[in-house]
Amino acid sequence: MNSILSLLGFDAAKHSIKTEVLAGLTTFLTMSYILAVNPIILSEAGMDKGAVFSATVIAAAIATLVMAFYAKMPFALASGMGINAFFAYTLVIIMGYTWQQALSAVLIEGIVFILLTIFKVREAIVDSIPLNLRYSISVGIGMFIAFIGLKNGGIVVSSEATMTSLCTWNATSLLAMAGILLGAILLALKVKGALFYTIIIITIIGIPFGVTQIPENFTLVSMPVSLDAVAFKIDFSRFLALDLDFYIVVFTLLFMDLFDTIGTLIGAATGAGMADKQTGKIHNLNKALMADAIGTTVGALCGTSTVTTYVESTTGILEGGRTGLTSFTVAMLFLVALFFSPVFLMIPSAATTSALFLVGVMMLRSIIHIDFIDFTESMPCFVTMLMMPFTASISEGIVLGLLSYVLVKVLTGRYRELSVTMYILALFFVMKYVAPLL
C-alpha cells in the first residue's frame, strides 16, 4: 500500500489519505457534468451518443491516471468544454468536416503537443501571443458556449428579423432557465458539485413534464457501451490533401488546449501555494503538460474531443488535495461511472443548459485582466470576443483577433511591439482568406 502511495507522491508525514480522497471526490462531483454534456454535444456531430460516453470516461480516466502517477499532481482531466463545442458545432456543422476528419485534427494536435512538451518549446509559443489576447480568447469561448447552452435549452431561437430572439416559453425552456438559476444559487453558496447536482435535479423534474425521456427497458446499471462506433475512426484525408484550413484548425485546437492547460495549472498551483515562492515555477509542470498531451492523443483514438486539465480541479485542491492520490481517486470514480451510462444518457439538453451557460460565466473572469485603456490592445480583444459567438466559430474569432492586433499595431507605428512569430502567424492567416480567391 505504501509503495503505491509513494508512486503517487504521497508522504504519510505530510499528507492525509482521507483528505486526498475527499479532495478527489470533490473534484469529480464538480466536473462530472462533462459525462452528461460531452455525449450530447458530440452527438450533434453525428457521433454515437453511448460510444462517446464510454470514450469520454476512458480518455478522462487514462489522462488523469497519467497525471496521478507521472506528474503526481492533484489535477483531473477530461474532454474540454468549449473545445468540444468547437469540434461539433464549428468543425462539423459549420465547416462541413466529417467527425472522423475532426478526430484526425485532434489526434495530430495531441501528437504535436507531445513533441512541443518533449522539446520544451511551448514557452516560445506562449510568449509570442500577447497576454491580452490570451485572456480575450477565454472570454470569447465562454460567450460562445453560453450561447450554445441557451440554444440547446430552447431559451433563444432563430429569428429572421433579429437573428435570434427569446422563445415562446414551454416546458423545456422553462426547465433550462430554472436550471441556470438553481446552478447559479448553488455556485454562489459554494456547494461542491453544484453543476452536477443541478443537472440531476432538472433531469428528475423533467420526468413528469416529458422533457426527460426514460427508455422502456431502462436499467440503472449496465455494461459499458462499446467504443466500436467511434474508436480509431480517423480520417486523414484533409491532412494528406494539404488543406490550409485543416492546419489552421489543428493550430486552433493546440492553441486552445495549450493556454487552457497552462492557465489552469499555473493559476491553481499558485493559489494553493504549490509554486516556488522565489521563481513562481511549478514542480513537475512539464510532466503535467505531458499528461494533457497524452490524454488528447488517447482521447482522439478512443473517439472524443480534446482532453484538457480541468479548472474544477481547484475545488479539490481547496479541499486539501496535494498529491497524485487526489487525481487517482478521480480516475477511479470515472471508471465507476462507466457502468452507469443509462443514467447519464437520458439526461436532456434542458438539464445541461445550466452547465454550458454557467461555465461560460466562469470563463468571463479573465476579462478583468484585459487592458481596455490602450485601444491597440482592447480593440483586437473585443474583435476576438465578439466574433466567436457571432460567427459561431472559435477559430474565426482567434484569426480575426490576431490579424486585427497586428494591423492596428503596424498602422499606428507600434510594429516593434510585435514578435516575429506574430508576423508569421498573421501571414499564415491572411493566406487563409486569400487562398479561396485565387
Side-chain angles (χ1 to χ4, degrees):
M1 179 67 174
N2 289 333
S3 59
I4 295 177
L5 290 175
S6 64
L7 291 175
L8 297 168
F10 182 88
D11 184 347
K14 301 178 181 178
H15 310 115
S16 161
I17 293 179
K18 180 180 178 181
T19 298
E20 296 288 327
V21 172
L22 180 60
L25 176 60
T26 301
T27 296
F28 176 77
L29 286 175
T30 307
M31 67 181 290
S32 56
Y33 64 85
I34 192 61
L35 298 180
V37 176
N38 203 50
I40 289 176
I41 290 178
L42 296 193
S43 67
E44 295 287 327
M47 302 179 72
D48 182 84
K49 197 174 180 182
V52 169
F53 176 88
S54 296
T56 302
V57 172
I58 293 172
I62 291 174
T64 306
L65 284 173
V66 173
M67 181 70 76
F69 285 101
Y70 183 59
K72 307 182 193 309
M73 297 182 76
F75 296 98
L77 302 91
S79 299
M81 290 293 294
I83 304 180
N84 55 6
F86 173 71
F87 181 102
Y89 298 103
T90 300
L91 290 189
V92 178
I93 296 176
I94 303 296
M95 296 180 66
Y97 282 59
T98 65
W99 59 264
Q100 293 91 337
Q101 291 170 335
L103 281 178
S104 72
V106 175
L107 177 60
I108 293 171
E109 176 231 337
I111 294 172
V112 172
F113 202 1
I114 289 175
L115 294 174
L116 290 176
T117 306
I118 290 174
F119 294 103
K120 300 182 179 181
V121 297
R122 68 199 183 286
E123 290 89 353
I125 297 175
V126 172
D127 292 341
S128 70
I129 307 298
L131 187 60
N132 284 305
L133 278 183
R134 299 179 211 171
Y135 293 133
S136 68
I137 289 169
S138 176
V139 175
I141 293 172
M143 293 168 62
F144 181 47
I145 66 172
F147 178 68
I148 290 171
L150 293 175
K151 287 192 67 176
N152 287 352
I155 296 174
V156 296
V157 295
S158 298
S159 170
E160 292 185 5
T162 59
M163 293 188 291
T164 59
S165 64
L166 282 176
C167 67
T168 301
W169 297 107
N170 52 40
T172 298
S173 56
L174 286 172
L175 276 177
M177 183 64 78
I180 292 174
L181 181 60
L182 175 61
I185 292 171
L186 294 179
L187 285 171
L189 294 175
K190 303 187 184 303
V191 175
K192 296 179 176 64
L195 298 178
F196 176 77
Y197 294 138
T198 300
I199 290 172
I200 298 303
I201 291 170
I202 297 301
T203 297
I204 294 173
I205 295 175
I207 294 174
F209 293 98
V211 176
T212 302
Q213 302 290 330
I214 301 178
E216 292 183 4
N217 299 321
F218 175 78
T219 56
L220 182 64
V221 181
S222 71
M223 293 302 293
V225 178
S226 172
L227 293 175
D228 288 347
V230 296
F232 301 102
K233 307 294 185 182
I234 310 294
D235 179 357
F236 290 105
S237 59
R238 295 233 182 183
F239 172 73
L240 296 175
L242 303 180
D243 185 335
L244 179 60
D245 277 341
F246 180 86
Y247 292 99
I248 291 177
V249 164
V250 172
F251 172 80
T252 300
L253 289 169
L254 179 66
F255 181 85
M256 292 164 63
D257 191 12
L258 186 67
F259 288 111
D260 280 353
T261 301
I262 288 177
T264 297
L265 290 173
I266 293 177
T270 302
M274 298 170 64
D276 185 277
K277 294 182 179 179
Q278 299 296 326
T279 64
K281 292 185 177 181
I282 301 169
H283 181 61
N284 283 348
L285 176 61
N286 203 53
K287 291 184 177 181
L289 289 168
M290 181 61 77
D292 186 275
I294 291 173
T296 292
T297 305
V298 171
L301 294 173
C302 289
T304 188
S305 53
T306 300
V307 172
T308 187
T309 305
Y310 259 59
V311 71
E312 285 82 359
S313 299
T314 55
T315 60
I317 292 173
L318 291 175
E319 288 291 330
R322 292 293 182 274
T323 74
L325 181 55
T326 293
S327 46
F328 176 80
T329 302
V330 177
M332 292 300 101
L333 290 170
F334 269 123
L335 293 177
V336 169
L338 193 60
F339 295 89
F340 292 88
S341 62
V343 175
F344 288 99
L345 295 179
M346 76 173 188
I347 295 173
S349 58
T352 59
T353 290
S354 58
L356 288 165
F357 185 84
L358 294 172
V359 168
V361 172
M362 288 186 277
M363 292 180 74
L364 292 179
R365 295 171 181 170
S366 298
I367 201 169
I368 63 174
H369 301 296
I370 297 174
D371 179 5
F372 285 106
I373 303 300
D374 184 345
F375 206 75
T376 66
E377 297 285 336
S378 61
M379 190 279 282
C381 288
F382 186 66
V383 169
T384 302
M385 294 184 288
L386 198 65
M387 296 309 292
M388 286 186 188
F390 276 19
T391 63
S393 171
I394 293 170
S395 62
E396 290 294 342
I398 293 173
V399 169
L400 293 171
L402 284 171
L403 280 175
S404 62
Y405 189 91
V406 171
L407 287 172
V408 75
K409 289 291 186 181
V410 170
L411 296 176
T412 55
R414 295 171 61 176
Y415 53 88
R416 291 187 180 87
E417 296 178 18
L418 299 170
S419 65
V420 174
T421 306
M422 280 292 289
Y423 284 113
I424 294 173
L425 290 174
L427 179 62
F428 186 66
F429 292 145
V430 167
M431 291 172 58
K432 171 185 182 295
Y433 294 112
V434 173
L437 302 177
L438 300 178

